Amino acid sequence: MPGQSFYVSDQTSAARQLVALRGQGRTAEADTLLRIAAQPSSQWLGDQAAKGIAEQVSRRAAAVDRTPVFVAYNIPHRDCGQYSAGGAADAAAYRSWITGLAEALGDRRAWVVLEPDAVAHTLDACGVKGAAAAERYGLLAFAVQELKKRPQVKVYLDAGNPGWAQDPSAMAEALRKSGIAAADGFAVNVSNFYATDRNAAYGAELSAALGGKPFVIDTSRNGNGPIGGDAWCNPPGRALGEPPTASTGRPGVDAYLWIKNPGESDGECGRGEPRAGEFWLPYALGLARGGA
């Protein structure tokens, strides 16, 4: 863990935009965007192309002795039909998809953040309740099991964030149902903006309830903290957080990761933003400039 080096891909949205800016002679903007493109960020996987992408990226990372970070994001009824709606058609399709993903990683080193929001959405007003919630817990536990068959794959179940209206004890119980015992830990603050100290406190509380499970913190956009209230959709004035590293200096915190790719939209939030996951250059430059 100490000194763990994560993979910097030249195929991220930020990296491709950087090349385009340089080709257009927009040097100042390119130099600013380099603050994002030069850092390791995550490869999100959410459709049928995932297996090929996972194999390609993990092979490239292995060739330079780096560890890629993937986000598995294909649970049925994903995001409760909101900005990132979609996911596998049913439970059988999801199990097949996860098995393919595990096969694609093979014996190569990789970290996988498993299904952002999937557990938390069983505890809020989303509507994934009863039999649907039980099915989801079973699918997550299956995913942990399949991925952990690969000896060099570390798996972190998503556990929401400290601002989500939920009972930490209920979250811990939901994580148990989702296979946390077999996972390497959990992830907090995925795609959100809460300050690192607050995430560390939230994670420590959950960890204590889970027998000391370690966790990772998404620091991709938390440099200025949250804007307040429930403003999670492309809030203005935010900034990049701590660079990705496995040397956090915090007991129980395995790494700071850029799980959300800075500059990719949270969704069409009513201010002319692009769809969820699409790169948005003005927002990316604002993050890189520290919220300016």
Side-chain angles (χ1 to χ4, degrees):
M1 290 288 299
Q4 176 80 61
S5 295
F6 297 108
Y7 177 58
V8 180
S9 173
D10 62 356
Q11 297 300 309
T12 64
S13 298
R16 291 194 297 269
Q17 183 68 68
L18 178 68
V19 171
L21 289 173
R22 293 214 186 281
Q24 296 163 12
R26 297 162 67 179
T27 303
E29 289 174 303
D31 289 345
T32 299
L33 191 59
L34 186 60
R35 298 171 191 168
I36 294 174
Q39 294 291 343
S41 57
S42 302
Q43 175 69 58
W44 287 61
L45 304 169
D47 56 28
Q48 294 308 307
K51 184 173 182 179
I53 294 170
E55 180 172 1
Q56 180 187 70
V57 172
S58 62
R59 286 189 182 280
R60 287 180 175 177
V64 292
D65 194 27
R66 296 291 184 265
T67 301
V69 179
F70 296 99
V71 182
Y73 194 50
N74 198 37
I75 201 78
H77 315 296
R78 189 178 68 198
D79 198 32
C80 294
Q82 299 182 69
Y83 295 126
S84 296
D90 54 32
Y94 186 75
R95 285 191 289 268
S96 176
W97 183 82
I98 279 289
T99 298
L101 177 56
E103 291 172 349
L105 296 175
D107 60 358
R108 292 177 293 281
R109 199 165 64 225
W111 288 24
V112 179
V113 176
L114 189 57
E115 297 298 344
D117 300 343
V119 175
H121 272 319
T122 68
L123 302 174
D124 64 9
C126 164
V128 184
K129 307 295 180 189
E135 177 184 80
R136 175 167 292 188
Y137 296 145
L139 290 177
L140 292 170
F142 174 84
V144 172
Q145 179 184 10
E146 285 297 291
L147 291 165
K148 288 305 296 177
K149 288 179 181 178
R150 305 296 159 174
Q152 294 205 79
V153 174
K154 295 173 72 71
V155 181
Y156 294 87
L157 271 164
D158 184 65
N161 62 69
W164 209 316
Q166 58 202 15
D167 178 355
S169 63
M171 171 58 77
E173 180 57 28
L175 288 169
R176 292 187 194 97
K177 294 176 183 177
S178 302
I180 190 68
D184 294 278
F186 57 92
V188 301
N189 202 49
V190 173
S191 299
N192 220 293
F193 302 87
Y194 291 97
T196 301
D197 284 348
R198 188 171 177 188
N199 281 300
Y202 169 68
E205 184 176 7
L206 272 181
S207 177
L210 294 168
K213 279 286 182 182
F215 58 100
V216 298
I217 301 173
D218 185 353
T219 58
S220 59
R221 305 184 297 177
N222 75 344
N224 287 343
I227 198 171
D230 60 354
W232 58 267
C233 195
N234 300 319
R238 302 309 90 202
L240 303 174
E242 291 99 331
T245 179
S247 300
T248 68
R250 294 179 184 266
V253 181
D254 277 356
Y256 301 143
L257 300 175
W258 284 10
I259 299 172
K260 172 72 174 182
N261 290 317
E264 292 186 358
S265 176
D266 293 316
E268 298 166 278
C269 316
R271 299 182 298 270
E273 301 96 330
R275 292 180 300 174
E278 291 188 9
F279 192 75
W280 186 19
L281 180 60
Y283 198 75
L285 294 175
L287 291 169
R289 291 169 179 150

